[in-house]
Amino acid sequence: SSIVLTRKTPLFWWITFAVGLVLFLTFDVSVTYLVTKGVGIWGINIPVAWGFAITNFVWWIGIGHAGTLISAILLLLNQPWRNSINRFAEAMTLFAVACAGMFPLLHLGRPWLFYWLIPYPNTMTVQPQFRSPLVWDVFAVSTYALVSLMFWYIGMIPDLATLRDRSTGLRYGIYGVMSFGWRGASRHWKWHQSACLMLAGLATPLVLSVHTVVSFDFTIAILPGWHSTIFPPYFVAGAIYSGFAMVLILCIPLREVYGLKNLITERHLNNSAKLMLATGLILAYTYLIEPFTSWYSGNEFEMYVVHNRAVGPQSWTFWLVILLNVIIPQALWSYKVRTSPKPLFAVACVVLVGMWVERYMIIVTSLDRDFLPSSWSNFIATFWDNSTLYGSVGLFVVLFMLFIRFLPMISMSEVRELLPFSKPGGGTEK
């Protein structure tokens, strides 16, 4: 609680917040210009009608998956090591979903009419096209965001009460309202634990269903390179892969700057790296099986997509994905790498970049070479494509920095439960 209430804000926070704010202002300018001029300022065109916007959407949704996995599935599996990282991982989920949700709306061309995707009461009885995956995304992402928000906030209520009791003045009033009169009574704890377990049960299938629905954006199309049954597990594994990479990118600097090495221990780094390694191997298997299924199908269009990705004009994306997502992460087999903050941070950054390039490869290299050679063209990103991408990163950074400044980044109530089991040096016996 001292990080929020009494400790001086470190220089690291101010520098990171300033960089994020500059990028966020760039995002504001880009979106304003986009709404004014239209999506033609992006590099998209026929046949590449999807570009950075959908790439960013899939990437950000994937990043949010690790938070729900840590919070929900590991809670149901009674894994106590999650207690030190689940709070900021849940916050990461919310902020990543907020960044993701904007891109499909901006890609509509007329984002102010987004409510047409929702079955709202209207006199014209014009309902959304429920066979469209865009409508499926609306329901899946909004449900995911709502359940994640409830899970994050309800779990934080005991800690908000702790901040209320340790603060004065305006902070006392704000934390008092946010804690909903929590007094720590036995019935409060009983209802709190029941609510957390119920929400964990609801959130667990969402981890699998949300990115599965996102993969349906591609699989229901007849386009070679997309029309594949392997996409749902492929996307889910990739989402957890990039999500744990973001968790490590966030927790490694935080434990160093705020002196949290006794709370976020080497065990947390090791376990997160193991999960990242496991999902990375699943991803490597899908990279291997994709050309095999194309060959085995005997479909010349599918085989051409695989050939085009490897040696075509955008082949740099394929080989960069193999390098960043498969070859470099094999360093995680080493225990020394998994428990050393600097090498682990570097690998996590590599994976996060690699996962964005992978989504770019899936979208662009399937669209730029469609059925008609006369319509083939290469996608070239514009300044506004890049500014919306980096601007969304700025939005995420600003939201996360505000979170760790004004709210507890580690669950005090859950970590307190582990104190009777703690060993000297920061480990746990449980």
Side-chain angles (χ1 to χ4, degrees):
S1 62
S2 64
I3 295 174
V4 177
L5 298 177
T6 60
R7 194 181 301 184
K8 184 179 179 181
T9 305
L11 182 62
F12 164 83
W13 188 93
W14 289 109
I15 294 175
T16 308
F17 181 76
V19 173
L21 189 60
V22 170
L23 292 174
F24 176 51
L25 293 176
T26 304
F27 182 74
D28 287 343
V29 173
S30 303
V31 171
T32 302
Y33 188 63
L34 173 71
V35 173
T36 304
K37 303 295 288 186
V39 295
I41 66 172
W42 289 339
I44 57 176
N45 209 331
I46 301 301
V48 187
W50 288 4
F52 270 36
I54 305 301
T55 303
N56 298 340
F57 165 65
V58 180
W59 185 62
W60 278 118
I61 284 291
I63 287 174
H65 271 59
T68 308
L69 177 72
I70 292 171
S71 302
I73 296 180
L74 297 184
L75 173 63
L76 296 177
L77 295 177
N78 194 27
Q79 296 294 313
W81 65 272
R82 61 174 282 281
N83 293 346
S84 293
I85 60 175
N86 69 314
R87 176 66 49 74
F88 68 81
E90 293 166 10
M92 177 196 76
T93 293
L94 293 175
F95 305 148
V97 171
C99 294
M102 292 185 296
F103 285 104
L105 301 183
L106 296 174
H107 198 270
L108 289 175
R110 292 186 287 176
W112 51 89
L113 299 178
F114 73 93
Y115 61 90
W116 285 5
L117 298 170
I118 306 170
Y120 66 98
N122 63 92
T123 56
M124 300 297 291
T125 65
V126 178
Q127 298 298 333
Q129 174 55 272
F130 288 103
R131 288 179 293 179
S132 168
L134 185 60
V135 177
W136 307 345
D137 286 338
V138 170
F139 285 95
V141 174
S142 59
T143 304
Y144 185 56
L146 181 61
V147 173
S148 298
L149 175 64
M150 293 172 62
F151 196 20
W152 172 72
Y153 191 82
I154 289 176
M156 193 166 51
I157 288 177
D159 292 352
L160 292 172
T162 300
L163 296 179
R164 173 201 64 195
D165 297 338
R166 297 180 181 181
S167 59
T168 57
L170 181 61
R171 285 184 173 183
Y172 175 81
I174 294 174
Y175 291 130
V177 171
M178 294 177 67
S179 60
F180 289 107
W182 177 276
R183 298 189 306 276
S186 59
R187 63 193 182 100
H188 288 183
W189 284 109
K190 180 181 177 181
W191 292 345
H192 179 265
Q193 292 177 352
S194 299
C196 288
L197 287 173
M198 180 186 69
L199 289 171
L202 289 173
T204 298
L206 285 175
V207 176
L208 304 176
S209 65
V210 172
H211 224 58
T212 298
V213 171
V214 170
S215 75
F216 289 165
D217 294 353
F218 304 91
T219 55
I220 68 164
I222 61 172
L223 195 69
W226 287 3
H227 194 64
S228 172
T229 56
I230 202 173
F231 265 49
Y234 173 24
F235 271 51
V236 171
I240 298 172
Y241 193 36
S242 59
F244 269 99
M246 181 61 90
V247 167
L248 290 170
I249 289 173
L250 295 176
C251 78
I252 289 173
L254 290 179
R255 72 192 290 268
E256 186 69 32
V257 172
Y258 289 98
L260 302 174
K261 294 181 181 179
N262 286 332
L263 293 174
I264 304 175
T265 65
E266 288 185 358
R267 182 190 180 198
H268 297 91
L269 302 182
N270 186 30
N271 288 346
S272 298
K274 284 180 179 178
L275 286 169
M276 197 165 71
L277 177 61
T279 50
L281 292 174
I282 296 174
L283 213 62
Y285 171 76
T286 60
Y287 295 156
L288 183 65
I289 206 69
E290 200 168 16
F292 171 77
T293 54
S294 299
W295 168 79
Y296 193 73
S297 68
N299 188 318
E300 59 180 328
F301 299 106
E302 291 285 351
M303 288 188 283
Y304 177 77
V305 168
V306 174
H307 179 266
N308 179 58
R309 285 181 181 174
V311 299
Q314 300 272 5
S315 60
W316 62 270
T317 60
F318 175 78
W319 298 110
L320 191 60
V321 164
I322 297 299
L323 175 66
L324 300 182
N325 289 351
V326 178
I327 297 176
I328 294 179
Q330 299 310 308
L332 296 176
W333 286 101
S334 169
Y335 176 81
K336 195 169 183 179
V337 173
R338 293 199 306 270
T339 55
S340 299
K342 291 181 180 178
L344 188 57
F345 182 82
V347 172
C349 290
V350 163
V351 168
L352 205 59
V353 173
M355 289 307 299
W356 187 92
V357 177
E358 182 215 78
R359 274 61 181 264
Y360 176 88
M361 176 193 72
I362 291 172
I363 292 171
V364 173
T365 61
S366 296
L367 288 170
D368 65 354
R369 296 291 185 269
D370 62 1
F371 295 101
L372 294 176
S374 60
S375 64
W376 289 359
S377 68
N378 293 326
F379 173 80
I380 300 175
T382 66
F383 168 81
W384 301 106
D385 283 298
N386 289 284
S387 63
T388 50
L389 168 61
Y390 298 128
S392 66
V393 174
L395 172 60
F396 178 87
V397 170
V398 166
L399 293 174
F400 191 80
M401 288 295 107
L402 292 174
F403 160 71
I404 66 174
R405 177 62 186 85
F406 295 108
L407 294 172
M409 73 174 83
I410 293 179
S411 177
M412 295 183 281
S413 60
E414 294 182 355
V415 170
R416 199 177 290 139
E417 295 177 2
L418 299 180
L419 291 179
F421 305 98
S422 63
K423 295 189 298 183
T428 58
E429 296 176 354
K430 187 173 180 181

PDB file of all heavy atoms in Angstrom, residues 142-157:
ATOM      1  N   SER A 142     -17.201  -7.997 -25.872  1.00  0.00           N
ATOM      2  CA  SER A 142     -17.909  -7.253 -24.822  1.00  0.00           C
ATOM      3  C   SER A 142     -18.167  -8.133 -23.602  1.00  0.00           C
ATOM      4  O   SER A 142     -18.029  -7.675 -22.455  1.00  0.00           O
ATOM      5  CB  SER A 142     -19.226  -6.693 -25.360  1.00  0.00           C
ATOM      6  OG  SER A 142     -20.068  -7.726 -25.836  1.00  0.00           O
ATOM      7  N   THR A 143     -18.510  -9.405 -23.815  1.00  0.00           N
ATOM      8  CA  THR A 143     -18.696 -10.327 -22.688  1.00  0.00           C
ATOM      9  C   THR A 143     -17.386 -10.547 -21.948  1.00  0.00           C
ATOM     10  O   THR A 143     -17.339 -10.533 -20.706  1.00  0.00           O
ATOM     11  CB  THR A 143     -19.243 -11.678 -23.190  1.00  0.00           C
ATOM     12  OG1 THR A 143     -20.449 -11.458 -23.906  1.00  0.00           O
ATOM     13  CG2 THR A 143     -19.502 -12.619 -22.029  1.00  0.00           C
ATOM     14  N   TYR A 144     -16.323 -10.725 -22.692  1.00  0.00           N
ATOM     15  CA  TYR A 144     -15.002 -10.917 -22.100  1.00  0.00           C
ATOM     16  C   TYR A 144     -14.584  -9.708 -21.271  1.00  0.00           C
ATOM     17  O   TYR A 144     -14.092  -9.839 -20.144  1.00  0.00           O
ATOM     18  CB  TYR A 144     -14.001 -11.171 -23.234  1.00  0.00           C
ATOM     19  CG  TYR A 144     -12.594 -11.503 -22.796  1.00  0.00           C
ATOM     20  CD1 TYR A 144     -12.354 -12.568 -21.939  1.00  0.00           C
ATOM     21  CD2 TYR A 144     -11.511 -10.770 -23.267  1.00  0.00           C
ATOM     22  CE1 TYR A 144     -11.068 -12.887 -21.558  1.00  0.00           C
ATOM     23  CE2 TYR A 144     -10.217 -11.084 -22.895  1.00  0.00           C
ATOM     24  CZ  TYR A 144      -9.999 -12.144 -22.037  1.00  0.00           C
ATOM     25  OH  TYR A 144      -8.728 -12.462 -21.648  1.00  0.00           O
ATOM     26  N   ALA A 145     -14.804  -8.518 -21.816  1.00  0.00           N
ATOM     27  CA  ALA A 145     -14.431  -7.293 -21.107  1.00  0.00           C
ATOM     28  C   ALA A 145     -15.261  -7.131 -19.832  1.00  0.00           C
ATOM     29  O   ALA A 145     -14.729  -6.758 -18.772  1.00  0.00           O
ATOM     30  CB  ALA A 145     -14.618  -6.083 -22.020  1.00  0.00           C
ATOM     31  N   LEU A 146     -16.553  -7.416 -19.893  1.00  0.00           N
ATOM     32  CA  LEU A 146     -17.424  -7.242 -18.733  1.00  0.00           C
ATOM     33  C   LEU A 146     -17.068  -8.207 -17.606  1.00  0.00           C
ATOM     34  O   LEU A 146     -16.940  -7.811 -16.441  1.00  0.00           O
ATOM     35  CB  LEU A 146     -18.888  -7.429 -19.152  1.00  0.00           C
ATOM     36  CG  LEU A 146     -19.933  -7.257 -18.053  1.00  0.00           C
ATOM     37  CD1 LEU A 146     -19.875  -5.847 -17.470  1.00  0.00           C
ATOM     38  CD2 LEU A 146     -21.334  -7.565 -18.589  1.00  0.00           C
ATOM     39  N   VAL A 147     -16.893  -9.492 -17.947  1.00  0.00           N
ATOM     40  CA  VAL A 147     -16.542 -10.483 -16.919  1.00  0.00           C
ATOM     41  C   VAL A 147     -15.168 -10.186 -16.333  1.00  0.00           C
ATOM     42  O   VAL A 147     -14.961 -10.282 -15.111  1.00  0.00           O
ATOM     43  CB  VAL A 147     -16.603 -11.904 -17.513  1.00  0.00           C
ATOM     44  CG1 VAL A 147     -16.073 -12.933 -16.515  1.00  0.00           C
ATOM     45  CG2 VAL A 147     -18.028 -12.260 -17.906  1.00  0.00           C
ATOM     46  N   SER A 148     -14.212  -9.794 -17.169  1.00  0.00           N
ATOM     47  CA  SER A 148     -12.868  -9.468 -16.673  1.00  0.00           C
ATOM     48  C   SER A 148     -12.897  -8.260 -15.754  1.00  0.00           C
ATOM     49  O   SER A 148     -12.201  -8.230 -14.729  1.00  0.00           O
ATOM     50  CB  SER A 148     -11.923  -9.202 -17.858  1.00  0.00           C
ATOM     51  OG  SER A 148     -11.791 -10.343 -18.670  1.00  0.00           O
ATOM     52  N   LEU A 149     -13.706  -7.257 -16.092  1.00  0.00           N
ATOM     53  CA  LEU A 149     -13.828  -6.071 -15.240  1.00  0.00           C
ATOM     54  C   LEU A 149     -14.416  -6.425 -13.884  1.00  0.00           C
ATOM     55  O   LEU A 149     -13.915  -5.978 -12.841  1.00  0.00           O
ATOM     56  CB  LEU A 149     -14.692  -5.023 -15.946  1.00  0.00           C
ATOM     57  CG  LEU A 149     -15.008  -3.760 -15.137  1.00  0.00           C
ATOM     58  CD1 LEU A 149     -13.732  -2.982 -14.821  1.00  0.00           C
ATOM     59  CD2 LEU A 149     -15.996  -2.870 -15.900  1.00  0.00           C
ATOM     60  N   MET A 150     -15.467  -7.232 -13.873  1.00  0.00           N
ATOM     61  CA  MET A 150     -16.091  -7.628 -12.611  1.00  0.00           C
ATOM     62  C   MET A 150     -15.121  -8.448 -11.767  1.00  0.00           C
ATOM     63  O   MET A 150     -15.015  -8.253 -10.543  1.00  0.00           O
ATOM     64  CB  MET A 150     -17.367  -8.423 -12.902  1.00  0.00           C
ATOM     65  CG  MET A 150     -18.471  -7.619 -13.546  1.00  0.00           C
ATOM     66  SD  MET A 150     -19.858  -8.646 -14.067  1.00  0.00           S
ATOM     67  CE  MET A 150     -20.399  -9.323 -12.499  1.00  0.00           C
ATOM     68  N   PHE A 151     -14.411  -9.369 -12.401  1.00  0.00           N
ATOM     69  CA  PHE A 151     -13.466 -10.222 -11.681  1.00  0.00           C
ATOM     70  C   PHE A 151     -12.354  -9.385 -11.058  1.00  0.00           C
ATOM     71  O   PHE A 151     -11.973  -9.575  -9.906  1.00  0.00           O
ATOM     72  CB  PHE A 151     -12.892 -11.242 -12.661  1.00  0.00           C
ATOM     73  CG  PHE A 151     -12.208 -12.414 -11.997  1.00  0.00           C
ATOM     74  CD1 PHE A 151     -12.457 -12.750 -10.683  1.00  0.00           C
ATOM     75  CD2 PHE A 151     -11.318 -13.200 -12.714  1.00  0.00           C
ATOM     76  CE1 PHE A 151     -11.838 -13.831 -10.077  1.00  0.00           C
ATOM     77  CE2 PHE A 151     -10.691 -14.273 -12.127  1.00  0.00           C
ATOM     78  CZ  PHE A 151     -10.945 -14.587 -10.802  1.00  0.00           C
ATOM     79  N   TRP A 152     -11.831  -8.430 -11.840  1.00  0.00           N
ATOM     80  CA  TRP A 152     -10.748  -7.560 -11.364  1.00  0.00           C
ATOM     81  C   TRP A 152     -11.207  -6.684 -10.216  1.00  0.00           C
ATOM     82  O   TRP A 152     -10.531  -6.580  -9.189  1.00  0.00           O
ATOM     83  CB  TRP A 152     -10.268  -6.711 -12.545  1.00  0.00           C
ATOM     84  CG  TRP A 152      -9.290  -5.633 -12.203  1.00  0.00           C
ATOM     85  CD1 TRP A 152      -7.986  -5.780 -11.856  1.00  0.00           C
ATOM     86  CD2 TRP A 152      -9.533  -4.220 -12.230  1.00  0.00           C
ATOM     87  NE1 TRP A 152      -7.399  -4.554 -11.659  1.00  0.00           N
ATOM     88  CE2 TRP A 152      -8.322  -3.582 -11.875  1.00  0.00           C
ATOM     89  CE3 TRP A 152     -10.647  -3.430 -12.521  1.00  0.00           C
ATOM     90  CZ2 TRP A 152      -8.205  -2.184 -11.811  1.00  0.00           C
ATOM     91  CZ3 TRP A 152     -10.530  -2.058 -12.460  1.00  0.00           C
ATOM     92  CH2 TRP A 152      -9.329  -1.455 -12.100  1.00  0.00           C
ATOM     93  N   TYR A 153     -12.384  -6.074 -10.354  1.00  0.00           N
ATOM     94  CA  TYR A 153     -12.828  -5.110  -9.346  1.00  0.00           C
ATOM     95  C   TYR A 153     -13.261  -5.805  -8.058  1.00  0.00           C
ATOM     96  O   TYR A 153     -12.914  -5.355  -6.950  1.00  0.00           O
ATOM     97  CB  TYR A 153     -13.979  -4.263  -9.888  1.00  0.00           C
ATOM     98  CG  TYR A 153     -14.297  -3.084  -9.003  1.00  0.00           C
ATOM     99  CD1 TYR A 153     -13.555  -1.914  -9.099  1.00  0.00           C
ATOM    100  CD2 TYR A 153     -15.312  -3.141  -8.053  1.00  0.00           C
ATOM    101  CE1 TYR A 153     -13.822  -0.826  -8.288  1.00  0.00           C
ATOM    102  CE2 TYR A 153     -15.589  -2.073  -7.229  1.00  0.00           C
ATOM    103  CZ  TYR A 153     -14.841  -0.914  -7.362  1.00  0.00           C
ATOM    104  OH  TYR A 153     -15.113   0.154  -6.534  1.00  0.00           O
ATOM    105  N   ILE A 154     -14.005  -6.894  -8.179  1.00  0.00           N
ATOM    106  CA  ILE A 154     -14.460  -7.587  -6.967  1.00  0.00           C
ATOM    107  C   ILE A 154     -13.264  -8.127  -6.190  1.00  0.00           C
ATOM    108  O   ILE A 154     -13.224  -8.062  -4.957  1.00  0.00           O
ATOM    109  CB  ILE A 154     -15.454  -8.723  -7.330  1.00  0.00           C
ATOM    110  CG1 ILE A 154     -16.779  -8.113  -7.784  1.00  0.00           C
ATOM    111  CG2 ILE A 154     -15.685  -9.655  -6.152  1.00  0.00           C
ATOM    112  CD1 ILE A 154     -17.801  -9.119  -8.248  1.00  0.00           C
ATOM    113  N   GLY A 155     -12.262  -8.654  -6.878  1.00  0.00           N
ATOM    114  CA  GLY A 155     -11.076  -9.138  -6.186  1.00  0.00           C
ATOM    115  C   GLY A 155     -10.304  -8.037  -5.484  1.00  0.00           C
ATOM    116  O   GLY A 155      -9.559  -8.295  -4.527  1.00  0.00           O
ATOM    117  N   MET A 156     -10.470  -6.791  -5.938  1.00  0.00           N
ATOM    118  CA  MET A 156      -9.707  -5.674  -5.389  1.00  0.00           C
ATOM    119  C   MET A 156     -10.409  -4.983  -4.221  1.00  0.00           C
ATOM    120  O   MET A 156      -9.816  -4.149  -3.533  1.00  0.00           O
ATOM    121  CB  MET A 156      -9.447  -4.658  -6.510  1.00  0.00           C
ATOM    122  CG  MET A 156      -8.420  -3.609  -6.191  1.00  0.00           C
ATOM    123  SD  MET A 156      -7.876  -2.730  -7.683  1.00  0.00           S
ATOM    124  CE  MET A 156      -9.447  -2.261  -8.413  1.00  0.00           C
ATOM    125  N   ILE A 157     -11.670  -5.308  -3.940  1.00  0.00           N
ATOM    126  CA  ILE A 157     -12.426  -4.602  -2.906  1.00  0.00           C
ATOM    127  C   ILE A 157     -11.765  -4.682  -1.527  1.00  0.00           C
ATOM    128  O   ILE A 157     -11.650  -3.660  -0.832  1.00  0.00           O
ATOM    129  CB  ILE A 157     -13.880  -5.125  -2.868  1.00  0.00           C
ATOM    130  CG1 ILE A 157     -14.636  -4.633  -4.108  1.00  0.00           C
ATOM    131  CG2 ILE A 157     -14.593  -4.675  -1.601  1.00  0.00           C
ATOM    132  CD1 ILE A 157     -16.051  -5.136  -4.214  1.00  0.00           C
TER     133      ILE A 157
END
